[in-house]
Amino acid sequence: MTVESVEPEPQIYAKGPGAPHEPPLAEGGVVLLGHGWKLARDPLAFLVRLRDRGEVVRLRLGPKTVYAVTAPELTGAIALSPDYIIAGPLWESLESLLGKEGVATSNGPLHRRQRRVIQPAFRPGAIAAYGPVMEQEAAALMARWRAAGTIDATTEAFRAVVRIAVGCLMHGSCTDARAERVSAALTTLFRGMYQRMVVPLGPLYRLPLPANREFNRALADLHLLVDEIVADRRASGQKPDDLLTALLAATDENGDPIGEQEIHDQVVAMLTAGGESVGSVLISLLLVLTEHPDLADKIRAEVNTVAGEGPVAFEDVRKLTYTANVVVETMRLYPSVWILTRRAVTDTELGGYRIPAGADIVYSPYAIQRDPRSFERHEEFDPDRWLPGRSAEVPKYAMSPFSVGNRKCPADHFSMAELTLLTAAAARAFAFEHAPGSDARPRIGITLRPRRLRLRPVPR
């Protein structure tokens, strides 16, 4: 997703004499698939190990050469430089979902215009107006859990965040049934898209195999749902002050209404970010509350101090500093967006290495945010590392959960408020235990989250 324009920082070059040179090649490539098989089998470990080969490393994905970046200062340079655009294997795999005309995939003037339409929906005053929706959905979530012996955290988290996204940005244009269909479709799509990214064997994905048929059904259903949401709003004649109304009223550079495809792609982008990305973080937060009951107790104590005997309110969120630090630390260790790609638009240089025009670059927030050179006790869950005095020790760009530069997510404050409120409500109301069938191992797709989290909420 996108945001404000930021002046690019200077590109980072080699400090020594001599022309840029070719980066080292990663180990373990195989014929035809290159390093794609490692990215498919154990991508997190593979990307973490790349730092041992250097700050820029060459990979082979099928017939393509891709450049992996492992140093935070270089990922910052990529994000802030006009020499790199949104493109590459990740975005190519997402194209069938996000299209080419949405804010998530567009570049240049189109991207800037779309940002101007979207950004007002995420200004502080607008976010405060979403408070009642977040409070209502948090209360409904807690009520469902009190009546349940066991919960499927994936289903529950995605239902909650999709309903919040639609309730805030599209004012209730999505029924419960539609919210569940959106969640189910995104789960299937993001799993299949990751495979298409790391093993780019295009013709095989067009064969009538069961996995391909399931993927195509999910894709068709999600696009149908978006068309239904837009059509229902138009038919209603209503124009609430929300993002969907702004999209329907938006004009292009010539003052003409934007096209139907652009509206469609923008709604898909909002549902994808508000559902899959935020939902994955919420699932990881529930895992943290389950496996770190001492942290859950600290959150509960903070909530009781701030909110008293009443329910957690939106206006309490800014005072829940420890809870917010738990959210941030969860995003550090379990980032939903764990892999990103860019494309060089000109011959350039990065960390002293030559990057040719048209080359694809890949980097992993997961690997960057677990780098022992940036974080003491890098594998330890420590919310206090985000206290003001300690957070200043973190190197620049070593922790950018919402990205930086002109691709920074416009909904960063919205998402933080939503996640903080839901985490506070859950920790105050319940202690969590793993239920039979729970599998906390990471599920690798375009996003990262626990594989199958089944929990028993025990009322406090």
Side-chain angles (χ1 to χ4, degrees):
M1 308 225 8
T2 7
V3 300
E4 68 274 4
S5 296
V6 175
E7 287 296 320
E9 293 189 349
Q11 184 59 279
I12 296 177
Y13 300 101
K15 295 181 173 66
H21 48 283
E22 191 80 342
L25 182 67
E27 298 175 342
V30 298
V31 177
L32 295 180
L33 297 181
H35 298 94
W37 75 281
K38 284 200 166 188
L39 280 169
R41 287 185 60 197
D42 193 0
L44 301 179
F46 177 68
L47 290 167
V48 165
R49 287 194 300 267
L50 284 178
R51 71 169 75 105
D52 297 331
R53 292 287 288 166
E55 294 185 341
V56 183
V57 182
R58 279 182 298 133
L59 306 179
R60 300 286 296 178
L61 296 185
K64 296 182 65 173
T65 295
V66 175
Y67 296 81
V69 177
T70 68
E73 65 270 20
L74 297 184
T75 64
I78 292 169
L80 296 173
S81 171
D83 292 343
Y84 305 94
I85 62 170
I86 287 288
L90 171 64
W91 304 103
E92 289 169 359
S93 71
L94 286 169
E95 192 171 282
S96 60
L97 170 62
L98 298 177
K100 296 182 178 180
E101 297 186 32
V103 71
T105 52
S106 62
N107 288 287
L110 175 60
H111 175 81
R112 289 191 291 272
R113 172 172 62 74
Q114 291 174 333
R115 178 258 173 183
R116 287 194 293 270
V117 173
I118 290 172
Q119 195 61 47
F122 298 107
R123 288 175 179 156
I127 294 175
Y130 304 145
V133 175
M134 295 185 187
E135 293 169 5
Q136 179 181 343
E137 291 303 328
L141 193 64
M142 299 307 108
R144 281 201 306 273
W145 292 356
R146 288 189 192 95
T150 300
I151 61 170
D152 182 323
T154 301
T155 300
E156 293 294 312
F158 282 144
R159 179 196 288 126
V161 298
V162 167
R163 285 180 58 84
I164 287 173
V166 174
C168 293
L169 305 178
M170 302 171 200
H171 279 192
S173 301
C174 189
T175 62
D176 286 346
R178 283 179 178 170
E180 301 227 0
R181 283 169 61 193
V182 168
S183 300
L186 288 174
T187 297
T188 299
L189 292 170
F190 274 57
R191 181 174 60 245
M193 285 169 180
Y194 178 70
Q195 182 178 348
R196 285 159 170 76
M197 179 181 77
V198 300
V199 186
L201 303 176
L204 292 181
Y205 299 124
R206 292 192 288 272
L207 296 176
L209 302 173
N212 292 342
R213 288 198 297 268
E214 181 186 24
F215 180 91
N216 291 332
R217 281 195 299 268
L219 185 64
D221 194 37
L222 184 67
H223 287 307
L224 177 62
L225 279 164
V226 169
D227 288 339
E228 289 175 359
I229 290 170
V230 174
D232 285 356
R233 171 60 64 83
R234 282 203 165 106
S236 73
Q238 298 177 355
K239 296 182 180 180
D241 185 16
D242 64 8
L243 182 57
L244 185 53
T245 295
L247 289 174
L248 294 175
T251 57
D252 62 18
E253 292 80 358
N254 300 318
D256 298 321
I258 63 175
E260 290 299 309
Q261 188 62 52
E262 183 175 338
I263 293 171
H264 178 98
D265 290 351
Q266 294 286 59
V267 174
V268 169
M270 294 300 106
L271 289 176
T272 301
E276 180 71 21
S277 299
V278 178
S280 295
V281 176
L282 182 56
I283 299 166
S284 294
L285 278 161
L286 292 173
L287 175 62
V288 167
L289 296 180
T290 303
E291 299 196 338
H292 298 274
D294 56 324
L295 302 183
D297 288 342
K298 290 181 181 179
I299 292 173
R300 183 170 182 255
E302 179 180 65
V303 174
N304 287 338
T305 298
V306 170
E309 296 183 359
V312 185
F314 181 83
E315 63 184 19
D316 297 327
V317 166
R318 62 185 178 83
K319 302 174 187 175
L320 297 173
T321 54
Y322 183 81
T323 308
N325 287 345
V326 170
V327 173
V328 173
E329 182 70 346
T330 300
M331 290 191 290
R332 182 183 75 86
L333 286 173
Y334 309 106
S336 62
V337 179
W338 63 277
I339 190 167
L340 290 165
T341 64
R342 297 288 189 268
R343 179 167 292 157
V345 295
T346 186
D347 288 338
T348 186
E349 187 178 339
L350 193 66
Y353 294 107
R354 182 180 65 86
I355 308 294
D360 290 332
I361 295 96
V362 60
Y363 58 97
S364 170
Y366 178 93
I368 295 288
Q369 292 167 193
R370 288 173 175 250
D371 193 330
R373 296 168 297 186
S374 298
F375 297 95
E376 293 184 3
R377 307 182 318 281
H378 60 288
E379 297 286 353
E380 179 180 326
F381 194 100
D382 179 14
D384 288 343
R385 73 172 78 245
W386 303 110
L387 292 171
R390 291 183 58 190
S391 61
E393 301 171 2
V394 177
K396 197 172 185 180
Y397 309 123
M399 178 62 182
S400 303
F402 296 104
S403 192
V404 297
N406 67 353
R407 308 309 304 200
K408 184 174 181 288
C409 177
D412 53 352
H413 296 295
F414 176 95
S415 300
M416 275 299 301
E418 172 185 12
L419 290 167
T420 301
L421 192 151
L422 290 171
T423 301
R428 186 193 210 187
F430 303 102
F432 295 94
E433 302 172 351
H434 283 290
S438 187
D439 186 351
R441 291 176 298 170
R443 184 203 66 101
I444 308 298
I446 295 294
T447 55
L448 180 70
R449 56 180 168 83
R451 189 169 296 185
R452 186 169 187 261
L453 199 60
R454 292 180 57 80
L455 302 177
R456 184 179 296 110
V458 180
R460 295 274 194 176

PDB file of all heavy atoms in Angstrom, residues 276-301:
ATOM      1  N   GLU A 276      -6.070  -9.839   4.935  1.00  0.00           N
ATOM      2  CA  GLU A 276      -4.968 -10.797   5.019  1.00  0.00           C
ATOM      3  C   GLU A 276      -3.784 -10.268   5.826  1.00  0.00           C
ATOM      4  O   GLU A 276      -3.265 -10.955   6.714  1.00  0.00           O
ATOM      5  CB  GLU A 276      -4.506 -11.176   3.611  1.00  0.00           C
ATOM      6  CG  GLU A 276      -3.354 -12.161   3.561  1.00  0.00           C
ATOM      7  CD  GLU A 276      -3.735 -13.568   3.971  1.00  0.00           C
ATOM      8  OE1 GLU A 276      -4.938 -13.905   3.910  1.00  0.00           O
ATOM      9  OE2 GLU A 276      -2.838 -14.345   4.357  1.00  0.00           O
ATOM     10  N   SER A 277      -3.339  -9.044   5.555  1.00  0.00           N
ATOM     11  CA  SER A 277      -2.134  -8.540   6.224  1.00  0.00           C
ATOM     12  C   SER A 277      -2.374  -8.300   7.713  1.00  0.00           C
ATOM     13  O   SER A 277      -1.616  -8.779   8.566  1.00  0.00           O
ATOM     14  CB  SER A 277      -1.656  -7.253   5.550  1.00  0.00           C
ATOM     15  OG  SER A 277      -1.329  -7.490   4.196  1.00  0.00           O
ATOM     16  N   VAL A 278      -3.431  -7.551   8.045  1.00  0.00           N
ATOM     17  CA  VAL A 278      -3.713  -7.257   9.451  1.00  0.00           C
ATOM     18  C   VAL A 278      -4.182  -8.517  10.178  1.00  0.00           C
ATOM     19  O   VAL A 278      -3.806  -8.763  11.327  1.00  0.00           O
ATOM     20  CB  VAL A 278      -4.759  -6.130   9.572  1.00  0.00           C
ATOM     21  CG1 VAL A 278      -5.095  -5.854  11.034  1.00  0.00           C
ATOM     22  CG2 VAL A 278      -4.239  -4.858   8.910  1.00  0.00           C
ATOM     23  N   GLY A 279      -4.966  -9.339   9.502  1.00  0.00           N
ATOM     24  CA  GLY A 279      -5.439 -10.571  10.117  1.00  0.00           C
ATOM     25  C   GLY A 279      -4.307 -11.503  10.500  1.00  0.00           C
ATOM     26  O   GLY A 279      -4.336 -12.145  11.556  1.00  0.00           O
ATOM     27  N   SER A 280      -3.284 -11.580   9.647  1.00  0.00           N
ATOM     28  CA  SER A 280      -2.144 -12.444   9.949  1.00  0.00           C
ATOM     29  C   SER A 280      -1.417 -11.971  11.205  1.00  0.00           C
ATOM     30  O   SER A 280      -0.971 -12.788  12.025  1.00  0.00           O
ATOM     31  CB  SER A 280      -1.182 -12.476   8.755  1.00  0.00           C
ATOM     32  OG  SER A 280      -1.791 -13.085   7.635  1.00  0.00           O
ATOM     33  N   VAL A 281      -1.280 -10.656  11.371  1.00  0.00           N
ATOM     34  CA  VAL A 281      -0.649 -10.132  12.591  1.00  0.00           C
ATOM     35  C   VAL A 281      -1.508 -10.465  13.810  1.00  0.00           C
ATOM     36  O   VAL A 281      -0.982 -10.858  14.864  1.00  0.00           O
ATOM     37  CB  VAL A 281      -0.423  -8.611  12.486  1.00  0.00           C
ATOM     38  CG1 VAL A 281       0.143  -8.067  13.803  1.00  0.00           C
ATOM     39  CG2 VAL A 281       0.528  -8.280  11.348  1.00  0.00           C
ATOM     40  N   LEU A 282      -2.820 -10.324  13.694  1.00  0.00           N
ATOM     41  CA  LEU A 282      -3.695 -10.614  14.833  1.00  0.00           C
ATOM     42  C   LEU A 282      -3.595 -12.077  15.243  1.00  0.00           C
ATOM     43  O   LEU A 282      -3.587 -12.401  16.445  1.00  0.00           O
ATOM     44  CB  LEU A 282      -5.145 -10.252  14.491  1.00  0.00           C
ATOM     45  CG  LEU A 282      -6.171 -10.467  15.605  1.00  0.00           C
ATOM     46  CD1 LEU A 282      -5.789  -9.711  16.870  1.00  0.00           C
ATOM     47  CD2 LEU A 282      -7.570 -10.060  15.136  1.00  0.00           C
ATOM     48  N   ILE A 283      -3.498 -12.984  14.281  1.00  0.00           N
ATOM     49  CA  ILE A 283      -3.341 -14.403  14.616  1.00  0.00           C
ATOM     50  C   ILE A 283      -2.032 -14.613  15.377  1.00  0.00           C
ATOM     51  O   ILE A 283      -1.981 -15.351  16.374  1.00  0.00           O
ATOM     52  CB  ILE A 283      -3.385 -15.264  13.339  1.00  0.00           C
ATOM     53  CG1 ILE A 283      -4.723 -15.096  12.627  1.00  0.00           C
ATOM     54  CG2 ILE A 283      -3.175 -16.737  13.678  1.00  0.00           C
ATOM     55  CD1 ILE A 283      -4.728 -15.643  11.209  1.00  0.00           C
ATOM     56  N   SER A 284      -0.965 -13.970  14.912  1.00  0.00           N
ATOM     57  CA  SER A 284       0.321 -14.085  15.615  1.00  0.00           C
ATOM     58  C   SER A 284       0.244 -13.491  17.011  1.00  0.00           C
ATOM     59  O   SER A 284       0.865 -13.997  17.953  1.00  0.00           O
ATOM     60  CB  SER A 284       1.422 -13.406  14.799  1.00  0.00           C
ATOM     61  OG  SER A 284       1.651 -14.092  13.584  1.00  0.00           O
ATOM     62  N   LEU A 285      -0.515 -12.413  17.172  1.00  0.00           N
ATOM     63  CA  LEU A 285      -0.701 -11.830  18.502  1.00  0.00           C
ATOM     64  C   LEU A 285      -1.410 -12.806  19.441  1.00  0.00           C
ATOM     65  O   LEU A 285      -1.060 -12.913  20.623  1.00  0.00           O
ATOM     66  CB  LEU A 285      -1.483 -10.519  18.398  1.00  0.00           C
ATOM     67  CG  LEU A 285      -0.660  -9.292  18.027  1.00  0.00           C
ATOM     68  CD1 LEU A 285      -1.554  -8.177  17.503  1.00  0.00           C
ATOM     69  CD2 LEU A 285       0.146  -8.797  19.234  1.00  0.00           C
ATOM     70  N   LEU A 286      -2.391 -13.532  18.937  1.00  0.00           N
ATOM     71  CA  LEU A 286      -3.065 -14.531  19.767  1.00  0.00           C
ATOM     72  C   LEU A 286      -2.107 -15.652  20.148  1.00  0.00           C
ATOM     73  O   LEU A 286      -2.175 -16.184  21.265  1.00  0.00           O
ATOM     74  CB  LEU A 286      -4.287 -15.087  19.020  1.00  0.00           C
ATOM     75  CG  LEU A 286      -5.435 -14.088  18.828  1.00  0.00           C
ATOM     76  CD1 LEU A 286      -6.512 -14.676  17.931  1.00  0.00           C
ATOM     77  CD2 LEU A 286      -6.027 -13.674  20.173  1.00  0.00           C
ATOM     78  N   LEU A 287      -1.198 -15.998  19.241  1.00  0.00           N
ATOM     79  CA  LEU A 287      -0.165 -16.976  19.587  1.00  0.00           C
ATOM     80  C   LEU A 287       0.739 -16.447  20.705  1.00  0.00           C
ATOM     81  O   LEU A 287       1.084 -17.173  21.645  1.00  0.00           O
ATOM     82  CB  LEU A 287       0.665 -17.310  18.347  1.00  0.00           C
ATOM     83  CG  LEU A 287       1.872 -18.232  18.569  1.00  0.00           C
ATOM     84  CD1 LEU A 287       1.423 -19.596  19.074  1.00  0.00           C
ATOM     85  CD2 LEU A 287       2.694 -18.357  17.290  1.00  0.00           C
ATOM     86  N   VAL A 288       1.114 -15.172  20.618  1.00  0.00           N
ATOM     87  CA  VAL A 288       1.954 -14.565  21.650  1.00  0.00           C
ATOM     88  C   VAL A 288       1.238 -14.577  22.999  1.00  0.00           C
ATOM     89  O   VAL A 288       1.841 -14.918  24.036  1.00  0.00           O
ATOM     90  CB  VAL A 288       2.347 -13.128  21.244  1.00  0.00           C
ATOM     91  CG1 VAL A 288       2.952 -12.368  22.418  1.00  0.00           C
ATOM     92  CG2 VAL A 288       3.328 -13.152  20.071  1.00  0.00           C
ATOM     93  N   LEU A 289      -0.037 -14.213  23.033  1.00  0.00           N
ATOM     94  CA  LEU A 289      -0.782 -14.228  24.295  1.00  0.00           C
ATOM     95  C   LEU A 289      -0.869 -15.634  24.872  1.00  0.00           C
ATOM     96  O   LEU A 289      -0.888 -15.814  26.097  1.00  0.00           O
ATOM     97  CB  LEU A 289      -2.193 -13.670  24.080  1.00  0.00           C
ATOM     98  CG  LEU A 289      -2.307 -12.202  23.666  1.00  0.00           C
ATOM     99  CD1 LEU A 289      -3.770 -11.816  23.499  1.00  0.00           C
ATOM    100  CD2 LEU A 289      -1.623 -11.288  24.671  1.00  0.00           C
ATOM    101  N   THR A 290      -0.906 -16.637  23.991  1.00  0.00           N
ATOM    102  CA  THR A 290      -0.999 -18.028  24.437  1.00  0.00           C
ATOM    103  C   THR A 290       0.328 -18.515  25.004  1.00  0.00           C
ATOM    104  O   THR A 290       0.373 -19.164  26.059  1.00  0.00           O
ATOM    105  CB  THR A 290      -1.429 -18.932  23.263  1.00  0.00           C
ATOM    106  OG1 THR A 290      -2.670 -18.462  22.726  1.00  0.00           O
ATOM    107  CG2 THR A 290      -1.588 -20.374  23.712  1.00  0.00           C
ATOM    108  N   GLU A 291       1.407 -18.204  24.325  1.00  0.00           N
ATOM    109  CA  GLU A 291       2.712 -18.765  24.687  1.00  0.00           C
ATOM    110  C   GLU A 291       3.503 -17.875  25.642  1.00  0.00           C
ATOM    111  O   GLU A 291       4.544 -18.297  26.159  1.00  0.00           O
ATOM    112  CB  GLU A 291       3.512 -19.051  23.413  1.00  0.00           C
ATOM    113  CG  GLU A 291       2.789 -20.060  22.515  1.00  0.00           C
ATOM    114  CD  GLU A 291       3.678 -20.659  21.449  1.00  0.00           C
ATOM    115  OE1 GLU A 291       4.706 -20.039  21.106  1.00  0.00           O
ATOM    116  OE2 GLU A 291       3.342 -21.763  20.966  1.00  0.00           O
ATOM    117  N   HIS A 292       3.037 -16.653  25.885  1.00  0.00           N
ATOM    118  CA  HIS A 292       3.690 -15.751  26.841  1.00  0.00           C
ATOM    119  C   HIS A 292       2.640 -15.216  27.821  1.00  0.00           C
ATOM    120  O   HIS A 292       2.303 -14.028  27.796  1.00  0.00           O
ATOM    121  CB  HIS A 292       4.367 -14.589  26.108  1.00  0.00           C
ATOM    122  CG  HIS A 292       5.460 -15.005  25.175  1.00  0.00           C
ATOM    123  ND1 HIS A 292       6.759 -15.204  25.586  1.00  0.00           N
ATOM    124  CD2 HIS A 292       5.434 -15.274  23.848  1.00  0.00           C
ATOM    125  CE1 HIS A 292       7.495 -15.562  24.553  1.00  0.00           C
ATOM    126  NE2 HIS A 292       6.720 -15.617  23.483  1.00  0.00           N
ATOM    127  N   PRO A 293       2.108 -16.072  28.696  1.00  0.00           N
ATOM    128  CA  PRO A 293       1.045 -15.618  29.611  1.00  0.00           C
ATOM    129  C   PRO A 293       1.495 -14.488  30.530  1.00  0.00           C
ATOM    130  O   PRO A 293       0.655 -13.702  30.986  1.00  0.00           O
ATOM    131  CB  PRO A 293       0.698 -16.891  30.412  1.00  0.00           C
ATOM    132  CG  PRO A 293       1.871 -17.802  30.233  1.00  0.00           C
ATOM    133  CD  PRO A 293       2.425 -17.505  28.882  1.00  0.00           C
ATOM    134  N   ASP A 294       2.792 -14.391  30.802  1.00  0.00           N
ATOM    135  CA  ASP A 294       3.269 -13.285  31.630  1.00  0.00           C
ATOM    136  C   ASP A 294       3.058 -11.946  30.935  1.00  0.00           C
ATOM    137  O   ASP A 294       2.697 -10.945  31.579  1.00  0.00           O
ATOM    138  CB  ASP A 294       4.748 -13.475  31.963  1.00  0.00           C
ATOM    139  CG  ASP A 294       5.616 -13.632  30.722  1.00  0.00           C
ATOM    140  OD1 ASP A 294       5.157 -14.246  29.728  1.00  0.00           O
ATOM    141  OD2 ASP A 294       6.756 -13.126  30.732  1.00  0.00           O
ATOM    142  N   LEU A 295       3.256 -11.909  29.621  1.00  0.00           N
ATOM    143  CA  LEU A 295       3.004 -10.679  28.871  1.00  0.00           C
ATOM    144  C   LEU A 295       1.509 -10.367  28.851  1.00  0.00           C
ATOM    145  O   LEU A 295       1.110  -9.200  28.960  1.00  0.00           O
ATOM    146  CB  LEU A 295       3.521 -10.815  27.435  1.00  0.00           C
ATOM    147  CG  LEU A 295       5.006 -11.140  27.264  1.00  0.00           C
ATOM    148  CD1 LEU A 295       5.367 -11.177  25.780  1.00  0.00           C
ATOM    149  CD2 LEU A 295       5.877 -10.131  27.984  1.00  0.00           C
ATOM    150  N   ALA A 296       0.700 -11.409  28.690  1.00  0.00           N
ATOM    151  CA  ALA A 296      -0.755 -11.200  28.709  1.00  0.00           C
ATOM    152  C   ALA A 296      -1.203 -10.616  30.038  1.00  0.00           C
ATOM    153  O   ALA A 296      -2.091  -9.745  30.089  1.00  0.00           O
ATOM    154  CB  ALA A 296      -1.462 -12.521  28.423  1.00  0.00           C
ATOM    155  N   ASP A 297      -0.597 -11.073  31.134  1.00  0.00           N
ATOM    156  CA  ASP A 297      -0.946 -10.534  32.456  1.00  0.00           C
ATOM    157  C   ASP A 297      -0.580  -9.048  32.547  1.00  0.00           C
ATOM    158  O   ASP A 297      -1.320  -8.247  33.145  1.00  0.00           O
ATOM    159  CB  ASP A 297      -0.219 -11.311  33.551  1.00  0.00           C
ATOM    160  CG  ASP A 297      -0.774 -12.720  33.740  1.00  0.00           C
ATOM    161  OD1 ASP A 297      -1.903 -12.967  33.282  1.00  0.00           O
ATOM    162  OD2 ASP A 297      -0.064 -13.559  34.323  1.00  0.00           O
ATOM    163  N   LYS A 298       0.558  -8.665  31.979  1.00  0.00           N
ATOM    164  CA  LYS A 298       0.966  -7.255  32.000  1.00  0.00           C
ATOM    165  C   LYS A 298       0.018  -6.400  31.166  1.00  0.00           C
ATOM    166  O   LYS A 298      -0.318  -5.273  31.553  1.00  0.00           O
ATOM    167  CB  LYS A 298       2.396  -7.113  31.486  1.00  0.00           C
ATOM    168  CG  LYS A 298       3.450  -7.685  32.425  1.00  0.00           C
ATOM    169  CD  LYS A 298       4.848  -7.493  31.859  1.00  0.00           C
ATOM    170  CE  LYS A 298       5.904  -8.079  32.788  1.00  0.00           C
ATOM    171  NZ  LYS A 298       7.276  -7.904  32.225  1.00  0.00           N
ATOM    172  N   ILE A 299      -0.418  -6.927  30.039  1.00  0.00           N
ATOM    173  CA  ILE A 299      -1.395  -6.189  29.226  1.00  0.00           C
ATOM    174  C   ILE A 299      -2.688  -6.013  30.011  1.00  0.00           C
ATOM    175  O   ILE A 299      -3.268  -4.921  30.048  1.00  0.00           O
ATOM    176  CB  ILE A 299      -1.661  -6.931  27.898  1.00  0.00           C
ATOM    177  CG1 ILE A 299      -0.418  -6.911  27.006  1.00  0.00           C
ATOM    178  CG2 ILE A 299      -2.848  -6.294  27.163  1.00  0.00           C
ATOM    179  CD1 ILE A 299      -0.548  -7.753  25.760  1.00  0.00           C
ATOM    180  N   ARG A 300      -3.143  -7.090  30.647  1.00  0.00           N
ATOM    181  CA  ARG A 300      -4.393  -7.019  31.413  1.00  0.00           C
ATOM    182  C   ARG A 300      -4.292  -5.975  32.518  1.00  0.00           C
ATOM    183  O   ARG A 300      -5.227  -5.187  32.745  1.00  0.00           O
ATOM    184  CB  ARG A 300      -4.700  -8.389  32.004  1.00  0.00           C
ATOM    185  CG  ARG A 300      -6.014  -8.463  32.765  1.00  0.00           C
ATOM    186  CD  ARG A 300      -6.351  -9.915  33.090  1.00  0.00           C
ATOM    187  NE  ARG A 300      -7.629 -10.004  33.770  1.00  0.00           N
ATOM    188  CZ  ARG A 300      -7.787 -10.234  35.076  1.00  0.00           C
ATOM    189  NH1 ARG A 300      -6.707 -10.365  35.846  1.00  0.00           N
ATOM    190  NH2 ARG A 300      -8.980 -10.312  35.611  1.00  0.00           N
ATOM    191  N   ALA A 301      -3.161  -5.939  33.213  1.00  0.00           N
ATOM    192  CA  ALA A 301      -2.979  -4.948  34.280  1.00  0.00           C
ATOM    193  C   ALA A 301      -2.999  -3.532  33.716  1.00  0.00           C
ATOM    194  O   ALA A 301      -3.606  -2.621  34.307  1.00  0.00           O
ATOM    195  CB  ALA A 301      -1.654  -5.208  35.002  1.00  0.00           C
TER     196      ALA A 301
END
